[in-house]
Amino acid sequence: MDLGSIIKGAIIEYIKSHNEDSGKVVEFFNLIDEIDKCTQSLPIHIRNELLQAISLALTANGIIIQLKR
């Protein structure tokens, strides 16, 4: 699973329970797509460490996503 999908999943889960600002989600997705493009140029081990750090940060803030593999 790529970084963009993980972050998008976290945002979608958040929006499901906090619908008040859902109109701005498209802006987030566009930014996430750009970030994801940048991360694709990183070495795989750096990408994996970055994904792990983001996943831990999201979990620590109460945002849990389930990855489908």
Side-chain angles (χ1 to χ4, degrees):
M1 177 137 314
D2 62 28
L3 177 62
S5 296
I6 290 172
I7 296 173
K8 286 177 184 178
I11 291 171
I12 289 168
E13 290 303 313
Y14 179 83
I15 293 299
K16 285 179 183 176
S17 61
H18 300 86
N19 201 23
E20 60 271 9
D21 289 321
S22 61
K24 294 185 179 186
V25 172
V26 173
E27 292 175 42
F28 281 118
F29 285 165
N30 289 336
L31 291 172
I32 291 167
D33 285 339
E34 289 301 314
I35 292 168
D36 193 45
K37 288 176 188 174
C38 292
T39 61
Q40 295 303 315
S41 66
L42 296 171
I44 190 71
H45 70 282
I46 300 294
R47 247 187 291 164
N48 288 338
E49 289 177 18
L50 181 59
L51 286 171
Q52 182 67 27
I54 291 170
S55 295
L56 290 172
L58 291 172
T59 301
N61 285 287
I63 301 172
I64 299 172
I65 57 172
Q66 294 184 348
L67 303 177
K68 297 178 183 176
R69 295 180 186 231

